Amino acid sequence: MERENFGSKIGAVLAAAGSAVGLGNVWRFPIETGQNGGAAFIIIYVLCIILLGLPIMISEFLIGRHTHANTAGAFRIISNGSPWKWVGRMGVFTGWFILCYYVVVGAWTMHYTFLSAINAFYDVPAKQYEDVFNNFVSNPWLPTFWLFLFIGVIHYVITRGVRSGIEKSAKLMMPTLFIITIFLAVCSVSLPGASLGIEFLLKPDWSKVNSTTILDAMGQAFYSLSLAMGCLCTYASYFDKKTPLAKSAVNVAFIDTLIAIMAGFIIFPSVFNIGMNPNEVGVGAGLTFVSLPNVFQQALGNGSFLAVIFSSLFYFLLFVAALTSAISLHEVATAYVTEEFKMSRRNGATLVTVSILVLGTLCSLSFGPLSDVKLFDRNIFSLFDDLSGRVLLPLGGMLISIFAGWVLDRQLYREEISNGGDLRTPYFKVLIFALRYIAPLAIGLVFLDQIGVFNLIPH
Ligand code: PHE
């Protein structure tokens, strides 16, 4: 069967940006920025993107596009069957593993969009938001219902195929996401007291920068760009020969960083408007599902029309961001099973979907009926989260950079990024240097730290 391609360059960039822009942009980046010295953190983060993120992203693009195969196949082909082929398999596994818990949070964003739209947060006392959230996630049925719906939407897009499913949905969803982000940021910065929030986010404070900050920035850059889980490699296998790899990577990184910074403009002005201390708002799920619903109600008027619109759009934004990322993760696994086990796309996608339904439900129930099931002191959800984020991702990233910098044929590398000599590549030497030395060392440090070998960051 003929392999599909993305129909346009812009479609290819938007799809990859859809993968990169996800929950991490909204629920981690702004908080990390605020607490780690504002613009000082942003500068370090951007350096990490340039020195680590871009070289690895370009390499993933290159491996995918050169081989036109799923990530496991791609690494097998490009490594001529040497043990490096395991890096590709590991990427597929990591992507699938992340998807199992990512869909759970995606489902929560749907529920919170719904709650916001029906004005369910009207008159909820500030202290009760935690109960609202805990009651919801520990309920055996409701989160499962949303989970099935969320996975159903992913399945629908994936079975429509690369062009009329993934590309078309990215072309629709990414501009929507962008418009909503701008609208919410403008609303938020026009609140009274917003300038304190902007200052918190942007004022460079170098005194807060230490080794922990740098490790945080590296880890975040890595996760945010969706590196080392096969997503970018798989999507790049649908790029055509004319897609400029380095330029596309720069565009994706730019969009990703812009949305992350704008998310800060949505969150902090509102937080400061109600006189809340940004150190109390938490991070991740606590920030998103406990602090923010309260912040929005108070800042915009309890139960007011504006609060309903703002809050619904905010959760819808998260939903879209999570959905496009989840689609990219699903595609990694779907492309793998369809091509490696010679199945039809429909059957391959169904197999992946069923596996996600089962494991996703287990992750989801680990907040309720299965909360007692623990391994290494973690519930099922945290186990998936920690194992992928702390171990598999950095390890994969390190191996990819070593492979691209030391093993991959230089000539092939240059051929691919210059599109057969059509594009100039003055950055080539720097790129290879970053892949050979900077990226493996830097990621190696993050990795050792994450698994607690030397504890630079007290977890
Ligand atoms: N990059 C996504 C984010 O910022 C997370 C993600 C990880 C997406 C892995 C796909 C794969 O949230």
Side-chain angles (χ1 to χ4, degrees), residues 18-27 95 98 101-102 220 222-227 229 231 256 321 325-326 328-329 393:
S19 173
V21 176
L23 296 165
N25 298 55
V26 182
W27 80 9
I98 292 183
Y101 78 85
Y102 208 79
Q220 172 66 17
F222 212 73
Y223 184 78
S224 194
L225 292 181
S226 302
L227 299 174
M229 53 206 90
C231 293
D256 188 60
S325 295
S328 75
L329 290 168
L393 280 189

Side-chain angles (χ1 to χ4, degrees), residues 27-29 31-32 35 280-288 291:
W27 80 9
R28 268 214 105 81
F29 181 84
I31 291 278
E32 286 190 334
Q35 292 176 344
E280 292 165 2
V281 295
V283 60
L287 168 78
T288 312
S291 301

Side-chain angles (χ1 to χ4, degrees), residues 51-52 55-56 397-398 401 433-444:
L51 291 175
L52 241 83
I56 298 183
M398 194 167 69
S401 56
F433 182 80
L435 282 171
R436 288 195 136 190
Y437 303 101
I438 305 178
L441 269 175
I443 306 169

